[in-house]
């Protein structure tokens, strides 16, 4: 029996997507060739790329003037590409430090200019989203991380700024309704909510590019990738294909409005148990709780052995917390069925009976 997969990333994908992907590796669309052994310039693959790019625009409801790219190098490469493409020579950027991924983005950006960290939640192991901050106005862009995968916090309101707004949405893209046109650059590693590891989604407003005065190496230049329709070099064909299937699955389900409702129900089920059950404590501040990554700890560490035994026996997988937080983290991305969350809730209730 398939396990209940709460892995933080790479993570759960819809079953039907996995089946179609497996078929395509053997015989793609009945052409008697594998998806991964045909030219990326073939009509068959160009169609996949174009379909994936247009599904992103449709699902995010993007206005004209945005380009969609499927790049490589993970969200980690975007930490520096964003700065390389947007920070002017002798420029400055404003960052919010809300977790390990933000901190890494800050470190990379510092190689290109001045970075002002105008808000941080580091003082409390990133268990909240800062609220009363002043956004600097003398910056080329402002950078935030919409969902903090490790700590289980998520922005509900975004900073207001007249500068460009850049967002790492790796772990919550396509999970909730937002006005995506408020953002000038969005990036997301595929392996949290869209597909397998190996491609990074980049959504960028065309008019913001080419204004830094820098010479950018071709592979790191968004404009180069845009001019080649995301095919400047061989794209990661399999991750792009599986991402396309997941986006199609999401569209068939009713798109982001439909999944948002399901995600809210799923998260509410688990948080309600964390709040009700005296054996558990939530890690993240209540008002900032993530709908994607639910972090919690045992009130009494003596119960660890028996709790671990119970969830293992129930077929639950991947809920061990990140080493910097400890405890547990249940990642409940788009593809996670509500039934799996109910299994985890049942196990938490079983613990009460067993001790
Ligand atoms: C996982 C993650 C990253 C890192 O992604 P890679 O693709 O491994 O580079 C960056 N930001 C966030 C928010 C993440 O969850």
């Amino acid at each position: 029996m398939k396990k209940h997969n709460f892995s933080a990333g790479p993570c759960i994908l819809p079953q039907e997507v996995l089946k179609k992907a497996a078929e395509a590796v053997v015989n793609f669309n009945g052409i008697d060739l594998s998806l991964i052994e045909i030219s990326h310039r073939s009509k068959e693959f160009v169609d996949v790329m174009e379909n994936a790019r247009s599904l992103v625009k449709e699902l995010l409801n993007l206005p004209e003037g945005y380009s969609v790219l499927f790049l490589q190098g993970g969200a980690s490469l975007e930490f520096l590409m964003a700065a390389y493409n947007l920070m002017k020579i002798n420029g400055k950027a404003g960052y919010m430090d809300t977790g390990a991924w933000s901190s890494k983005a800050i470190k990379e950006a510092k190689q290109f200019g001045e970075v002002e960290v105008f808000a941080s939640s580091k003082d409390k192991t990133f268990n909240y989203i800062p609220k009363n901050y002043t956004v600097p106005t003398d910056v080329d862009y402002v950078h935030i991380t919409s969902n903090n995968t490790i700590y289980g916090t998520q922005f509900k309101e975004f900073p207001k700024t007249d500068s460009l707004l850049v967002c790492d949405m790796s772990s919550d893209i396509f999970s909730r309704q937002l006005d995506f046109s408020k953002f000038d650059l969005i990036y997301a590693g595929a392996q949290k909510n869209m597909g397998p590891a190996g491609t990074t989604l980049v959504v960028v407003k065309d008019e913001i590019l080419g204004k830094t005065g820098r010479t950018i190496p071709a592979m790191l230049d968004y404009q180069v990738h845009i001019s080649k329709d995301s095919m400047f070099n061989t794209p990661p064909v399999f991750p792009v294909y599986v991402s396309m299937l997941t986006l199609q699955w999401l569209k068939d389900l009713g798109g982001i409005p439909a999944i948002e409702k399901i995600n809210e129900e799923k998260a509410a089920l688990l948080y309600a148990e964390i709040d009700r059950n005296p054996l558990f404590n939530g890690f993240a501040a209540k008002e900032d709780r993530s709908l994607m990554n639910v972090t919690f700890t045992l009130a009494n560490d003596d119960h660890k052995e028996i709790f671990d035994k119970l969830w293992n026996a129930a077929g639950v997988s991947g809920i061990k917390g990140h080493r910097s937080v400890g405890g547990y983290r249940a990642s409940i991305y788009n593809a996670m069925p509500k039934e799996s969350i109910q299994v985890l809730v049942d196990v938490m209730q079983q613990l009460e009976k067993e001790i």
Side-chain angles (χ1 to χ4, degrees):
M1 205 192 74
K2 181 95 180 171
K3 289 195 173 162
H4 304 286
N5 182 6
F6 290 89
S7 172
C11 62
I12 188 165
L13 289 169
Q15 276 300 301
E16 61 184 83
V17 166
L18 295 180
K19 288 200 181 103
K20 280 186 196 162
E23 278 167 29
V25 168
V26 179
N27 183 354
F28 177 51
N29 280 358
I31 63 171
D32 295 320
L33 289 167
S34 167
L35 167 79
I36 57 175
E37 61 177 7
I38 58 172
S39 167
H40 60 290
R41 307 276 175 209
S42 64
K43 179 174 183 324
E44 283 84 6
F45 186 76
V46 171
D47 283 352
V48 169
M49 180 60 97
E50 284 318 303
N51 194 14
R53 295 172 82 202
S54 71
L55 279 164
V56 171
K57 282 192 181 169
E58 188 183 338
L59 287 164
L60 300 183
N61 200 14
L62 291 170
E64 289 290 301
Y66 280 84
S67 290
V68 174
L69 301 170
F70 285 90
L71 304 181
Q72 301 186 58
S76 298
L77 186 61
E78 296 315 309
F79 296 160
L80 72 95
M81 268 179 88
Y84 216 159
N85 283 263
L86 299 181
M87 215 192 288
K88 299 204 167 78
I89 289 173
N90 299 321
K92 184 178 165 185
Y95 276 68
M96 284 181 77
D97 191 9
T98 56
W101 297 118
S102 306
S103 304
K104 286 185 176 166
I106 289 164
K107 190 167 170 226
E108 295 299 303
K110 281 182 177 165
Q111 300 184 76
F112 299 91
E114 192 186 337
V115 172
E116 180 180 338
V117 178
F118 61 89
S120 169
S121 48
K122 202 171 180 173
D123 58 332
K124 290 188 180 164
T125 325
F126 301 115
N127 76 348
Y128 71 104
I129 301 289
K131 305 289 179 327
N132 298 313
Y133 47 79
T134 307
V135 185
T137 51
D138 58 338
V139 290
D140 296 326
Y141 66 90
V142 167
H143 180 285
I144 54 168
T145 311
S146 56
N147 184 71
N148 299 287
T149 325
I150 293 172
Y151 311 89
T153 61
Q154 189 174 34
F155 277 81
K156 310 294 169 183
E157 276 188 40
F158 293 90
K160 289 179 184 52
T161 174
D162 291 329
S163 309
L164 304 179
L165 187 57
V166 178
C167 189
D168 175 358
M169 288 196 194
S170 291
S171 51
D172 71 349
I173 191 144
F174 303 117
S175 71
R176 57 173 170 163
Q177 297 190 79
L178 292 175
D179 178 1
F180 292 95
S181 70
K182 274 200 310 214
F183 300 90
D184 298 281
L185 171 64
I186 297 168
Y187 60 87
Q191 71 275 18
K192 306 279 171 37
N193 223 359
M194 189 176 75
T199 191
T200 318
L201 174 66
V202 171
V203 174
V204 60
K205 204 176 200 173
D206 301 317
E207 66 179 33
I208 71 171
L209 298 172
K211 297 188 170 162
T212 60
R214 295 178 194 281
T215 307
I216 304 174
M219 273 297 282
L220 301 180
D221 187 342
Y222 292 132
Q223 285 187 314
V224 168
H225 290 284
I226 291 168
S227 73
K228 299 292 180 188
D229 295 326
S230 202
M231 293 259 214
F232 171 65
N233 69 320
T234 316
V237 292
F238 185 71
V240 172
Y241 178 67
V242 182
S243 298
M244 185 206 83
L245 292 178
T246 310
L247 296 170
Q248 187 63 54
W249 166 85
L250 180 55
K251 184 183 165 180
D252 295 344
L253 203 83
I256 294 180
I259 202 77
E260 176 179 58
K261 196 164 161 284
I262 298 169
N263 286 336
E264 281 169 353
E265 286 170 17
K266 289 189 303 191
L269 180 62
L270 189 48
Y271 283 121
E273 180 59 20
I274 290 169
D275 291 340
R276 184 208 63 80
N277 193 323
L279 302 180
F280 295 95
N281 294 320
F283 175 76
K286 277 190 185 174
E287 67 275 17
D288 302 322
R289 281 173 163 177
S290 168
L291 297 187
M292 296 280 100
N293 309 96
V294 179
T295 45
F296 56 99
T297 53
L298 280 165
N300 180 347
D301 269 335
D302 294 345
H303 299 148
K304 184 175 170 352
E305 198 177 324
I306 172 159
F307 181 56
D308 289 354
K309 214 181 268 172
L310 287 173
W311 60 258
N312 265 301
V316 166
S317 167
I319 62 163
K320 194 173 173 298
H322 189 273
R323 60 189 180 282
S324 58
V325 177
Y328 300 91
R329 168 175 53 170
S331 296
I332 54 174
Y333 297 113
N334 284 354
M336 165 66 64
K338 199 171 176 183
E339 296 72 44
S340 291
I341 296 171
Q342 188 60 55
V343 169
L344 179 56
V345 168
D346 291 347
V347 167
M348 293 165 82
Q349 295 178 353
Q350 208 182 332
L351 183 67
E352 271 183 306
K353 292 185 196 119
E354 302 245 345
I355 58 156

